[in-house]
Amino acid sequence: MELRHLQHFVAVAEDQHFTRAAERLLVSQSGLSASIRALERELQTPLFVRTTRRVTLTPAGRALLGEAERILAQVRAAHEAVAAVQGVLRGMLALGSEQCIAGVHVAGLLATFRHQHPDVEICLRQAGSGALAEEVAAGRLDLAFAVRTQADSDQLRSVPLTSEPMTLLCHASHRLASAGAAVTPEELGGEVFVDFHPDWGPRRTTDTVFAAAGVRRTVALEVNDVHTLLDLVDENLGVAVVPRHFAHKRASLTALPVKGTGEAVYETVALLPPLQATSPAARALMALLEASGAPLGATGTSPGTMGASPGTAGAQAETSGV
């Protein structure tokens, strides 16, 4: 099995089209087809279902894809490690991040990284924490800044960045705003909620809080960006339970602590592959993050306390750069 066969296979799997994959790889379509056939002969099974419009993976192809991506990522890391020993950091940094992640100012960090390592190409992907964890484990991303969604494994490790309580945001005319007191999940059971897609870290954290309390809630308005969520709450179309630093983004909204949530906190982490598989570029980025003063390996809020004062949201937002 040759590396180019795996590279060609992954490209066709990503594009679901031989012509587009061949154009991206700068090879002839006939050459690409021959490469895939050679791989299928070696494995003694079809890897794609071919139609006139697109190609899709067979079960064998799906099984191979994750392994092929990991192999290619390790080969790339090996090349970059040799370059790093020679004193030059080059290659690619593939980074993932959730929107408005706490504990790291992603844009500023990448600007410093580019200044120090101009020969490294930076690729950034924004997605939910669940998807980001899968992509780091599969080798498609060098690292990601996300919300903790699972325990560490043989393919994925996490470095804590910070943690903070969840906060209720509501319109100033809402019945809870006038009381100005901390609320419990039980008191929110009948509310209409604005929230993110289930793959997002804040949504996962909120779902955990309400499930632990045995409270069913209705997410009628589901969005994929922070500012749309804030707009909907600002129009009094629903309430939202979000990480505390989101309150800093919209002064017109009322922020109330959420109490009685046990151990559930919004905890952000850097997700990386195992140490031996971590690329030099990822190591360099983490070193920059640590040099910036981020308290790596420690959390900023006691997990047992969810109901902190909403007035601290601004300070959290400033330290997280959002």
Side-chain angles (χ1 to χ4, degrees):
M1 187 181 297
E2 299 181 23
L3 284 176
R4 66 183 179 90
H5 291 160
L6 294 180
Q7 291 168 337
H8 294 169
F9 164 73
V10 170
V12 175
E14 290 175 343
D15 291 335
Q16 297 185 334
H17 200 277
F18 275 86
T19 301
R20 288 196 294 269
E23 291 173 350
R24 179 156 64 93
L25 293 168
L26 302 178
V27 299
S28 67
Q29 185 172 338
S30 60
L32 179 60
S33 297
S35 178
I36 297 299
R37 285 196 299 271
L39 186 58
E40 290 176 324
R41 282 196 303 270
E42 180 172 351
L43 296 174
Q44 299 182 351
T45 185
L47 298 173
F48 294 103
V49 177
R50 298 160 172 83
T51 68
T52 55
R53 297 194 174 194
R54 60 184 295 196
V55 294
T56 56
L57 289 166
T58 64
R62 289 193 295 272
L64 177 62
L65 181 59
E67 296 301 323
E69 289 173 330
R70 275 191 283 273
I71 290 169
L72 294 175
Q74 289 171 349
V75 170
R76 176 165 60 86
H79 283 289
E80 293 171 357
V82 172
V85 169
Q86 295 171 334
V88 179
L89 193 62
R90 62 176 74 250
M92 178 185 293
L93 172 69
L95 172 69
S97 179
E98 269 211 5
Q99 289 186 37
C100 300
I101 197 76
V104 56
H105 183 192
V106 176
L109 183 66
L110 290 181
T112 302
F113 182 88
R114 172 166 286 173
H115 177 74
Q116 294 190 9
H117 307 289
D119 293 327
V120 178
E121 178 185 357
I122 298 173
C123 293
L124 175 65
R125 167 170 161 69
Q126 198 171 73
S129 288
L132 293 175
E134 291 177 1
E135 296 207 17
V136 173
R140 293 189 290 269
L141 291 175
D142 292 310
L143 77 160
F145 297 123
V147 176
R148 187 190 294 278
T149 61
Q150 63 188 72
D152 287 4
S153 67
D154 292 340
Q155 297 175 345
L156 190 70
R157 62 187 175 95
S158 57
V159 178
L161 298 178
T162 189
S163 66
E164 61 180 305
M166 300 295 282
T167 297
L168 176 75
L169 294 183
C170 63
H171 191 270
S173 65
H174 192 277
R175 63 178 181 84
L176 294 171
S178 58
V183 295
T184 65
E186 289 79 5
E187 293 173 300
L188 299 173
E191 296 293 332
V192 173
F193 281 83
V194 186
D195 212 328
F196 300 108
H197 185 277
D199 192 48
W200 274 53
R203 170 69 180 270
R204 288 184 173 217
T205 304
T206 304
D207 284 347
T208 299
V209 166
F210 279 79
V215 177
R216 184 179 179 274
R217 69 188 185 114
T218 301
V219 179
L221 304 168
E222 191 174 270
V223 301
N224 272 324
D225 72 282
V226 173
H227 293 286
T228 298
L229 178 143
L230 297 175
D231 287 343
L232 292 169
V233 177
D234 213 3
E235 294 294 340
N236 206 16
L237 293 171
V239 301
V241 175
V242 295
R244 186 177 60 192
H245 72 275
F246 283 20
H248 181 67
K249 296 177 176 296
R250 194 66 59 92
S252 58
L253 297 178
T254 298
L256 300 172
V258 180
K259 64 181 180 180
T261 54
E263 297 297 316
V265 293
Y266 170 85
E267 182 186 6
T268 57
V269 296
L271 297 175
L272 298 115
L275 278 171
Q276 66 274 16
T278 302
S279 70
R283 294 174 189 268
L285 188 73
M286 290 299 292
L288 277 178
L289 182 59
E290 187 170 15
S292 72
L296 303 186
T299 55
T301 303
S302 172
T305 305
M306 292 288 290
S309 166
T312 59
Q316 173 65 34
E318 290 172 0
T319 59
S320 63
V322 296

